[in-house]
PDB file of all heavy atoms in Angstrom:
ATOM      1  N   LEU A   1      67.026 109.731 143.864  1.00 96.00           N
ATOM      2  CA  LEU A   1      65.909 110.359 143.157  1.00 96.00           C
ATOM      3  C   LEU A   1      65.371 109.462 142.048  1.00 96.00           C
ATOM      4  O   LEU A   1      64.144 109.349 141.878  1.00 96.00           O
ATOM      5  CB  LEU A   1      66.339 111.706 142.580  1.00 96.00           C
ATOM      6  CG  LEU A   1      66.483 112.831 143.587  1.00 96.00           C
ATOM      7  CD1 LEU A   1      67.223 114.005 142.967  1.00 96.00           C
ATOM      8  CD2 LEU A   1      65.103 113.263 144.094  1.00 96.00           C
ATOM      9  N   LEU A   2      66.249 108.813 141.299  1.00 97.00           N
ATOM     10  CA  LEU A   2      65.794 107.939 140.218  1.00 97.00           C
ATOM     11  C   LEU A   2      65.008 106.754 140.765  1.00 97.00           C
ATOM     12  O   LEU A   2      63.974 106.376 140.218  1.00 97.00           O
ATOM     13  CB  LEU A   2      66.975 107.474 139.380  1.00 97.00           C
ATOM     14  CG  LEU A   2      67.715 108.570 138.601  1.00 97.00           C
ATOM     15  CD1 LEU A   2      68.870 107.967 137.821  1.00 97.00           C
ATOM     16  CD2 LEU A   2      66.771 109.344 137.708  1.00 97.00           C
ATOM     17  N   ASN A   3      65.489 106.185 141.858  1.00 96.00           N
ATOM     18  CA  ASN A   3      64.767 105.066 142.485  1.00 96.00           C
ATOM     19  C   ASN A   3      63.407 105.520 143.008  1.00 96.00           C
ATOM     20  O   ASN A   3      62.411 104.807 142.876  1.00 96.00           O
ATOM     21  CB  ASN A   3      65.612 104.414 143.570  1.00 96.00           C
ATOM     22  CG  ASN A   3      66.728 103.566 142.985  1.00 96.00           C
ATOM     23  OD1 ASN A   3      66.505 102.805 142.051  1.00 96.00           O
ATOM     24  ND2 ASN A   3      67.919 103.725 143.506  1.00 96.00           N
ATOM     25  N   LYS A   4      63.342 106.719 143.567  1.00 96.00           N
ATOM     26  CA  LYS A   4      62.073 107.271 144.048  1.00 96.00           C
ATOM     27  C   LYS A   4      61.109 107.493 142.883  1.00 96.00           C
ATOM     28  O   LYS A   4      59.921 107.165 142.960  1.00 96.00           O
ATOM     29  CB  LYS A   4      62.309 108.582 144.801  1.00 96.00           C
ATOM     30  CG  LYS A   4      61.051 109.199 145.373  1.00 96.00           C
ATOM     31  CD  LYS A   4      61.352 110.458 146.158  1.00 96.00           C
ATOM     32  CE  LYS A   4      60.084 111.058 146.712  1.00 96.00           C
ATOM     33  NZ  LYS A   4      60.341 112.281 147.468  1.00 96.00           N
ATOM     34  N   LEU A   5      61.629 108.048 141.792  1.00 96.00           N
ATOM     35  CA  LEU A   5      60.784 108.282 140.619  1.00 96.00           C
ATOM     36  C   LEU A   5      60.236 106.956 140.076  1.00 96.00           C
ATOM     37  O   LEU A   5      59.059 106.885 139.706  1.00 96.00           O
ATOM     38  CB  LEU A   5      61.574 109.024 139.544  1.00 96.00           C
ATOM     39  CG  LEU A   5      61.812 110.506 139.798  1.00 96.00           C
ATOM     40  CD1 LEU A   5      62.919 111.043 138.912  1.00 96.00           C
ATOM     41  CD2 LEU A   5      60.523 111.297 139.599  1.00 96.00           C
ATOM     42  N   GLN A   6      61.062 105.939 140.042  1.00 95.00           N
ATOM     43  CA  GLN A   6      60.599 104.636 139.569  1.00 95.00           C
ATOM     44  C   GLN A   6      59.511 104.078 140.488  1.00 95.00           C
ATOM     45  O   GLN A   6      58.510 103.533 140.001  1.00 95.00           O
ATOM     46  CB  GLN A   6      61.743 103.652 139.450  1.00 95.00           C
ATOM     47  CG  GLN A   6      62.556 103.852 138.200  1.00 95.00           C
ATOM     48  CD  GLN A   6      63.670 102.842 138.067  1.00 95.00           C
ATOM     49  OE1 GLN A   6      64.421 102.600 139.016  1.00 95.00           O
ATOM     50  NE2 GLN A   6      63.785 102.267 136.880  1.00 95.00           N
ATOM     51  N   LYS A   7      59.690 104.231 141.778  1.00 96.00           N
ATOM     52  CA  LYS A   7      58.658 103.751 142.709  1.00 96.00           C
ATOM     53  C   LYS A   7      57.343 104.488 142.508  1.00 96.00           C
ATOM     54  O   LYS A   7      56.276 103.951 142.774  1.00 96.00           O
ATOM     55  CB  LYS A   7      59.139 103.913 144.162  1.00 96.00           C
ATOM     56  CG  LYS A   7      60.175 102.908 144.547  1.00 96.00           C
ATOM     57  CD  LYS A   7      60.661 103.112 145.978  1.00 96.00           C
ATOM     58  CE  LYS A   7      61.801 102.154 146.244  1.00 96.00           C
ATOM     59  NZ  LYS A   7      62.475 102.429 147.510  1.00 96.00           N
ATOM     60  N   ASN A   8      57.426 105.720 142.012  1.00 94.00           N
ATOM     61  CA  ASN A   8      56.228 106.510 141.740  1.00 94.00           C
ATOM     62  C   ASN A   8      55.697 106.289 140.327  1.00 94.00           C
ATOM     63  O   ASN A   8      54.820 107.022 139.877  1.00 94.00           O
ATOM     64  CB  ASN A   8      56.514 108.006 141.966  1.00 94.00           C
ATOM     65  CG  ASN A   8      56.727 108.323 143.441  1.00 94.00           C
ATOM     66  OD1 ASN A   8      56.258 107.618 144.320  1.00 94.00           O
ATOM     67  ND2 ASN A   8      57.463 109.388 143.706  1.00 94.00           N
ATOM     68  N   GLY A   9      56.242 105.312 139.615  1.00 94.00           N
ATOM     69  CA  GLY A   9      55.703 104.951 138.321  1.00 94.00           C
ATOM     70  C   GLY A   9      56.405 105.517 137.097  1.00 94.00           C
ATOM     71  O   GLY A   9      56.003 105.251 135.973  1.00 94.00           O
ATOM     72  N   HIS A  10      57.460 106.287 137.314  1.00 95.00           N
ATOM     73  CA  HIS A  10      58.199 106.850 136.172  1.00 95.00           C
ATOM     74  C   HIS A  10      59.192 105.804 135.645  1.00 95.00           C
ATOM     75  O   HIS A  10      59.760 105.038 136.400  1.00 95.00           O
ATOM     76  CB  HIS A  10      58.985 108.098 136.597  1.00 95.00           C
ATOM     77  CG  HIS A  10      58.111 109.237 136.977  1.00 95.00           C
ATOM     78  ND1 HIS A  10      57.583 110.110 136.055  1.00 95.00           N
ATOM     79  CD2 HIS A  10      57.648 109.645 138.183  1.00 95.00           C
ATOM     80  CE1 HIS A  10      56.848 111.009 136.685  1.00 95.00           C
ATOM     81  NE2 HIS A  10      56.863 110.744 137.969  1.00 95.00           N
ATOM     82  N   LYS A  11      59.406 105.810 134.354  1.00 96.00           N
ATOM     83  CA  LYS A  11      60.425 104.967 133.739  1.00 96.00           C
ATOM     84  C   LYS A  11      61.693 105.792 133.583  1.00 96.00           C
ATOM     85  O   LYS A  11      61.636 106.978 133.273  1.00 96.00           O
ATOM     86  CB  LYS A  11      59.941 104.436 132.401  1.00 96.00           C
ATOM     87  CG  LYS A  11      58.736 103.520 132.554  1.00 96.00           C
ATOM     88  CD  LYS A  11      58.590 102.608 131.385  1.00 96.00           C
ATOM     89  CE  LYS A  11      57.393 101.712 131.491  1.00 96.00           C
ATOM     90  NZ  LYS A  11      57.378 100.827 132.603  1.00 96.00           N
ATOM     91  N   ILE A  12      62.825 105.153 133.793  1.00 97.00           N
ATOM     92  CA  ILE A  12      64.131 105.837 133.744  1.00 97.00           C
ATOM     93  C   ILE A  12      64.963 105.209 132.633  1.00 97.00           C
ATOM     94  O   ILE A  12      65.093 103.984 132.576  1.00 97.00           O
ATOM     95  CB  ILE A  12      64.861 105.711 135.090  1.00 97.00           C
ATOM     96  CG1 ILE A  12      63.999 106.205 136.251  1.00 97.00           C
ATOM     97  CG2 ILE A  12      66.202 106.434 135.046  1.00 97.00           C
ATOM     98  CD1 ILE A  12      63.632 107.655 136.203  1.00 97.00           C
ATOM     99  N   GLY A  13      65.561 106.062 131.792  1.00 97.00           N
ATOM    100  CA  GLY A  13      66.346 105.526 130.691  1.00 97.00           C
ATOM    101  C   GLY A  13      67.592 106.326 130.392  1.00 97.00           C
ATOM    102  O   GLY A  13      67.751 107.457 130.835  1.00 97.00           O
ATOM    103  N   ILE A  14      68.447 105.684 129.635  1.00 98.00           N
ATOM    104  CA  ILE A  14      69.678 106.284 129.102  1.00 98.00           C
ATOM    105  C   ILE A  14      69.528 106.334 127.596  1.00 98.00           C
ATOM    106  O   ILE A  14      69.088 105.355 126.986  1.00 98.00           O
ATOM    107  CB  ILE A  14      70.915 105.448 129.467  1.00 98.00           C
ATOM    108  CG1 ILE A  14      71.140 105.424 130.989  1.00 98.00           C
ATOM    109  CG2 ILE A  14      72.160 105.928 128.722  1.00 98.00           C
ATOM    110  CD1 ILE A  14      71.571 106.742 131.582  1.00 98.00           C
ATOM    111  N   VAL A  15      69.866 107.469 126.991  1.00 98.00           N
ATOM    112  CA  VAL A  15      69.922 107.564 125.535  1.00 98.00           C
ATOM    113  C   VAL A  15      71.213 108.300 125.181  1.00 98.00           C
ATOM    114  O   VAL A  15      71.400 109.457 125.506  1.00 98.00           O
ATOM    115  CB  VAL A  15      68.662 108.236 124.929  1.00 98.00           C
ATOM    116  CG1 VAL A  15      68.433 109.632 125.465  1.00 98.00           C
ATOM    117  CG2 VAL A  15      68.704 108.209 123.405  1.00 98.00           C
ATOM    118  N   SER A  16      72.137 107.565 124.592  1.00 98.00           N
ATOM    119  CA  SER A  16      73.482 108.078 124.380  1.00 98.00           C
ATOM    120  C   SER A  16      73.986 107.649 123.008  1.00 98.00           C
ATOM    121  O   SER A  16      73.468 106.705 122.412  1.00 98.00           O
ATOM    122  CB  SER A  16      74.388 107.556 125.492  1.00 98.00           C
ATOM    123  OG  SER A  16      75.663 108.142 125.446  1.00 98.00           O
ATOM    124  N   TRP A  17      75.004 108.329 122.543  1.00 98.00           N
ATOM    125  CA  TRP A  17      75.589 108.032 121.247  1.00 98.00           C
ATOM    126  C   TRP A  17      76.908 107.306 121.376  1.00 98.00           C
ATOM    127  O   TRP A  17      77.640 107.466 122.355  1.00 98.00           O
ATOM    128  CB  TRP A  17      75.845 109.312 120.461  1.00 98.00           C
ATOM    129  CG  TRP A  17      74.641 109.963 119.890  1.00 98.00           C
ATOM    130  CD1 TRP A  17      73.430 109.398 119.638  1.00 98.00           C
ATOM    131  CD2 TRP A  17      74.528 111.322 119.469  1.00 98.00           C
ATOM    132  NE1 TRP A  17      72.569 110.320 119.079  1.00 98.00           N
ATOM    133  CE2 TRP A  17      73.225 111.506 118.975  1.00 98.00           C
ATOM    134  CE3 TRP A  17      75.403 112.400 119.468  1.00 98.00           C
ATOM    135  CZ2 TRP A  17      72.782 112.728 118.479  1.00 98.00           C
ATOM    136  CZ3 TRP A  17      74.964 113.610 118.974  1.00 98.00           C
ATOM    137  CH2 TRP A  17      73.668 113.776 118.486  1.00 98.00           C
ATOM    138  N   LEU A  18      77.235 106.586 120.336  1.00 97.00           N
ATOM    139  CA  LEU A  18      78.555 106.006 120.161  1.00 97.00           C
ATOM    140  C   LEU A  18      79.494 107.072 119.629  1.00 97.00           C
ATOM    141  O   LEU A  18      79.066 108.193 119.353  1.00 97.00           O
ATOM    142  CB  LEU A  18      78.455 104.829 119.176  1.00 97.00           C
ATOM    143  CG  LEU A  18      77.596 103.659 119.662  1.00 97.00           C
ATOM    144  CD1 LEU A  18      77.156 102.793 118.488  1.00 97.00           C
ATOM    145  CD2 LEU A  18      78.350 102.850 120.693  1.00 97.00           C
ATOM    146  N   ALA A  19      80.744 106.735 119.456  1.00 95.00           N
ATOM    147  CA  ALA A  19      81.727 107.695 118.945  1.00 95.00           C
ATOM    148  C   ALA A  19      81.445 108.003 117.465  1.00 95.00           C
ATOM    149  O   ALA A  19      80.945 107.158 116.727  1.00 95.00           O
ATOM    150  CB  ALA A  19      83.135 107.131 119.103  1.00 95.00           C
ATOM    151  N   LYS A  20      81.793 109.197 117.071  1.00 93.00           N
ATOM    152  CA  LYS A  20      81.623 109.638 115.688  1.00 93.00           C
ATOM    153  C   LYS A  20      82.545 108.820 114.767  1.00 93.00           C
ATOM    154  O   LYS A  20      83.694 108.569 115.112  1.00 93.00           O
ATOM    155  CB  LYS A  20      81.978 111.122 115.609  1.00 93.00           C
ATOM    156  CG  LYS A  20      81.604 111.805 114.338  1.00 93.00           C
ATOM    157  CD  LYS A  20      81.897 113.298 114.451  1.00 93.00           C
ATOM    158  CE  LYS A  20      81.412 114.056 113.269  1.00 93.00           C
ATOM    159  NZ  LYS A  20      81.638 115.498 113.408  1.00 93.00           N
ATOM    160  N   ASN A  21      82.028 108.440 113.609  1.00 90.00           N
ATOM    161  CA  ASN A  21      82.798 107.707 112.593  1.00 90.00           C
ATOM    162  C   ASN A  21      83.435 106.437 113.142  1.00 90.00           C
ATOM    163  O   ASN A  21      84.582 106.112 112.838  1.00 90.00           O
ATOM    164  CB  ASN A  21      83.887 108.595 111.980  1.00 90.00           C
ATOM    165  CG  ASN A  21      83.319 109.838 111.336  1.00 90.00           C
ATOM    166  OD1 ASN A  21      82.281 109.777 110.674  1.00 90.00           O
ATOM    167  ND2 ASN A  21      83.965 110.969 111.547  1.00 90.00           N
ATOM    168  N   SER A  22      82.711 105.689 113.928  1.00 93.00           N
ATOM    169  CA  SER A  22      83.268 104.499 114.582  1.00 93.00           C
ATOM    170  C   SER A  22      83.030 103.235 113.757  1.00 93.00           C
ATOM    171  O   SER A  22      82.143 103.178 112.910  1.00 93.00           O
ATOM    172  CB  SER A  22      82.654 104.335 115.968  1.00 93.00           C
ATOM    173  OG  SER A  22      81.250 104.213 115.873  1.00 93.00           O
ATOM    174  N   THR A  23      83.825 102.231 114.066  1.00 96.00           N
ATOM    175  CA  THR A  23      83.665 100.918 113.435  1.00 96.00           C
ATOM    176  C   THR A  23      82.758 100.064 114.302  1.00 96.00           C
ATOM    177  O   THR A  23      82.507 100.373 115.473  1.00 96.00           O
ATOM    178  CB  THR A  23      85.023 100.209 113.305  1.00 96.00           C
ATOM    179  OG1 THR A  23      85.543  99.968 114.627  1.00 96.00           O
ATOM    180  CG2 THR A  23      86.014 101.032 112.488  1.00 96.00           C
ATOM    181  N   GLU A  24      82.287  98.967 113.738  1.00 96.00           N
ATOM    182  CA  GLU A  24      81.407  98.066 114.490  1.00 96.00           C
ATOM    183  C   GLU A  24      82.112  97.514 115.729  1.00 96.00           C
ATOM    184  O   GLU A  24      81.524  97.429 116.800  1.00 96.00           O
ATOM    185  CB  GLU A  24      80.948  96.923 113.585  1.00 96.00           C
ATOM    186  CG  GLU A  24      79.886  96.058 114.211  1.00 96.00           C
ATOM    187  CD  GLU A  24      79.350  95.025 113.246  1.00 96.00           C
ATOM    188  OE1 GLU A  24      79.384  95.247 112.017  1.00 96.00           O
ATOM    189  OE2 GLU A  24      78.887  93.978 113.737  1.00 96.00           O
ATOM    190  N   ASN A  25      83.384  97.172 115.600  1.00 97.00           N
ATOM    191  CA  ASN A  25      84.150  96.645 116.729  1.00 97.00           C
ATOM    192  C   ASN A  25      84.289  97.697 117.836  1.00 97.00           C
ATOM    193  O   ASN A  25      84.152  97.390 119.027  1.00 97.00           O
ATOM    194  CB  ASN A  25      85.542  96.187 116.249  1.00 97.00           C
ATOM    195  CG  ASN A  25      86.315  95.510 117.352  1.00 97.00           C
ATOM    196  OD1 ASN A  25      85.802  94.632 118.034  1.00 97.00           O
ATOM    197  ND2 ASN A  25      87.558  95.913 117.511  1.00 97.00           N
ATOM    198  N   TYR A  26      84.554  98.933 117.449  1.00 98.00           N
ATOM    199  CA  TYR A  26      84.689  99.989 118.434  1.00 98.00           C
ATOM    200  C   TYR A  26      83.338 100.295 119.086  1.00 98.00           C
ATOM    201  O   TYR A  26      83.277 100.590 120.274  1.00 98.00           O
ATOM    202  CB  TYR A  26      85.280 101.248 117.787  1.00 98.00           C
ATOM    203  CG  TYR A  26      85.637 102.333 118.777  1.00 98.00           C
ATOM    204  CD1 TYR A  26      86.360 102.058 119.916  1.00 98.00           C
ATOM    205  CD2 TYR A  26      85.248 103.644 118.545  1.00 98.00           C
ATOM    206  CE1 TYR A  26      86.713 103.051 120.824  1.00 98.00           C
ATOM    207  CE2 TYR A  26      85.594 104.655 119.444  1.00 98.00           C
ATOM    208  CZ  TYR A  26      86.310 104.345 120.578  1.00 98.00           C
ATOM    209  OH  TYR A  26      86.641 105.343 121.463  1.00 98.00           O
ATOM    210  N   ASP A  27      82.267 100.210 118.307  1.00 97.00           N
ATOM    211  CA  ASP A  27      80.915 100.417 118.871  1.00 97.00           C
ATOM    212  C   ASP A  27      80.662  99.440 120.022  1.00 97.00           C
ATOM    213  O   ASP A  27      80.095  99.815 121.051  1.00 97.00           O
ATOM    214  CB  ASP A  27      79.839 100.219 117.805  1.00 97.00           C
ATOM    215  CG  ASP A  27      79.809 101.322 116.771  1.00 97.00           C
ATOM    216  OD1 ASP A  27      80.453 102.383 116.986  1.00 97.00           O
ATOM    217  OD2 ASP A  27      79.123 101.140 115.735  1.00 97.00           O
ATOM    218  N   ILE A  28      81.091  98.215 119.862  1.00 97.00           N
ATOM    219  CA  ILE A  28      80.931  97.216 120.918  1.00 97.00           C
ATOM    220  C   ILE A  28      81.731  97.603 122.153  1.00 97.00           C
ATOM    221  O   ILE A  28      81.222  97.539 123.284  1.00 97.00           O
ATOM    222  CB  ILE A  28      81.317  95.812 120.406  1.00 97.00           C
ATOM    223  CG1 ILE A  28      80.339  95.354 119.332  1.00 97.00           C
ATOM    224  CG2 ILE A  28      81.412  94.809 121.560  1.00 97.00           C
ATOM    225  CD1 ILE A  28      80.812  94.147 118.530  1.00 97.00           C
TER     226      ILE A  28
END
């Protein structure tokens, strides 16, 4: 479905969070 949507001109993305109260190293 995502590939079909892209072929029809839709952009597909991920928007997600890192862990709560994390360090820079853990974020990586």
Side-chain angles (χ1 to χ4, degrees):
L1 285 166
L2 295 180
N3 285 315
K4 182 177 180 181
L5 285 163
Q6 281 182 312
K7 286 179 186 170
N8 291 336
H10 294 275
K11 296 202 181 299
I12 305 297
I14 295 292
V15 58
S16 188
W17 285 340
L18 296 160
K20 191 175 186 177
N21 301 319
S22 59
T23 63
E24 188 174 334
N25 186 49
Y26 188 48
D27 289 348
I28 293 166

